Amino acid sequence: MISVSDQQMEGAGTMPAPGSPPPAVSIRNLDRTFTRDGNTIQALSGVSLDVAPGEFVVLLGPSGCGKSTLLNIIAGLLPPTSGTIEVASHAVTGVPDEIGMMFQKPVLLPWRTVRDNIVLPIEMSKGRRAAKAAQGRVDELLDLVGLKSFGDQMPNELSGGMQQRAAICRMLINEPDILLLDEPFGALDEFTREHMNMQMLDLTHRLGRTAILVTHSISEAVFLADRIAVMCARPGRIMGIVDVDLPKDRTPDIATSPEFQHHVEAARDMLKRGHAMEMT
């Protein structure tokens, strides 16, 4: 485990090692402010971070620290106030083609079948003919997440966990290289959430995808991450990094290991330091 202070995070501390491939996502000195009722609110300040291809990075921090704002900026849904952001070595000026995104709620259209919900991004971007041609891909994805026999069901006929699995399929239908996950399982019960985290970890590794996930759960962050970017609020910034050097093939049993708990404590200590800074 390596913890990096916020001073070390700036500048060269975030640059890729010589000879390594370019980052899948590169953020430099990013600020974001909002104006509300005539007052300026700084949501993010001086955020710098590189995410390597195939890496699973978790943004961990308390509510209101700007985690979701940062994810929306990476997705091209919000512009930064200042600073730069690149996805696949290209400046983000809209929603990048390489991005797939998943939110806390599945947001499935209730009048469309699971199959028709999954293919919706293709239908919206390329038309119904292209959507119809993608049905084979839909079948592959349904099989991948264990919903092979549920493609013709309506969303209200599925459990919450099954709806989120359908949302995973919709995210993957355009074969994105980078997955942005905004607390996608936060509304599920603990057992289902644990199962979905295992499935997401397996999918990202099996498909070789880069993933950035937002959470305020320390144990979830340690279970999923290759690296944890710990954020603090007022304004939101990265306090430091926790490198999670646990085996890639993880099961829930790993949470009882001393190594897992060591990473949990490292992340918790960093969050405490961030909270102490907020109070001063």
Side-chain angles (χ1 to χ4, degrees):
M1 183 279 297
I2 301 173
S3 297
V4 183
S5 71
D6 51 353
Q7 288 84 3
Q8 290 173 297
M9 280 294 298
E10 297 177 1
T14 63
M15 296 296 289
S20 61
V25 177
S26 183
I27 303 166
R28 290 287 179 275
N29 300 316
L30 188 143
D31 292 356
R32 172 67 195 193
T33 59
F34 295 94
T35 301
R36 185 176 300 160
D37 299 326
N39 298 315
T40 299
I41 301 169
Q42 185 148 14
L44 296 168
S45 176
V47 174
S48 294
L49 181 68
D50 281 338
V51 180
E55 187 176 26
F56 202 127
V57 169
V58 172
L59 304 177
L60 173 68
S63 297
C65 74
K67 303 184 299 295
S68 294
T69 298
L70 180 56
L71 205 70
N72 285 330
I73 292 173
I74 297 170
L77 301 176
L78 283 175
T81 303
S82 63
T84 62
I85 176 164
E86 293 184 348
V87 168
S89 299
H90 298 289
V92 174
T93 56
V95 179
D97 293 337
E98 296 85 359
I99 291 290
M101 195 163 186
M102 188 173 171
F103 302 94
Q104 185 170 357
K105 295 182 179 179
V107 199
L108 300 176
L109 300 180
W111 59 87
R112 294 179 69 115
T113 65
V114 168
R115 180 181 298 279
D116 288 341
N117 268 285
I118 292 170
V119 83
L120 184 61
I122 292 179
E123 184 176 322
M124 292 179 66
S125 62
K126 300 178 181 178
R128 291 186 178 180
R129 182 175 297 180
K132 186 175 181 180
Q135 290 301 320
R137 173 67 175 157
V138 174
D139 289 334
E140 292 175 6
L141 290 171
L142 287 169
D143 192 25
L144 191 66
V145 301
L147 290 179
K148 186 175 182 180
S149 60
F150 292 91
D152 295 322
Q153 303 295 110
M154 305 303 288
N156 65 358
E157 298 176 301
L158 306 183
S159 67
M162 293 168 75
Q163 289 184 31
Q164 286 296 66
R165 279 187 271 165
I168 291 172
C169 294
R170 184 181 56 196
M171 176 179 64
L172 295 175
I173 189 65
N174 279 321
E175 301 187 73
D177 295 322
I178 302 166
L179 310 181
L180 304 181
L181 310 163
D182 194 355
E183 297 194 72
F185 311 130
L188 303 177
D189 64 84
E190 185 173 356
F191 179 79
T192 305
R193 182 172 182 167
E194 184 178 87
H195 176 74
M196 294 302 298
N197 280 333
M198 285 184 61
Q199 190 160 46
M200 181 59 69
L201 200 59
D202 177 66
L203 282 172
T204 53
H205 290 162
R206 197 186 327 170
L207 299 175
R209 299 297 190 260
T210 304
I212 304 175
L213 179 136
V214 162
T215 187
H216 56 261
S217 167
I218 299 174
S219 60
E220 182 175 61
V222 173
F223 182 78
L224 290 170
D226 296 314
R227 288 191 301 148
I228 302 170
V230 180
M231 298 184 65
C232 68
R234 300 183 184 180
R237 56 201 184 280
I238 295 177
M239 284 286 297
I241 299 291
V242 176
D243 287 329
V244 183
D245 53 0
L246 297 171
K248 292 282 189 181
D249 187 16
R250 302 172 194 176
T251 66
D253 293 342
I254 202 171
T256 63
S257 70
E259 295 81 7
F260 187 95
Q261 293 304 318
H262 180 68
H263 289 84
V264 167
E265 289 305 314
R268 180 177 287 117
D269 288 346
M270 202 173 288
L271 284 170
K272 286 180 180 178
R273 291 204 302 273
H275 181 68
M277 290 175 61
E278 291 176 40
M279 301 303 292
T280 58

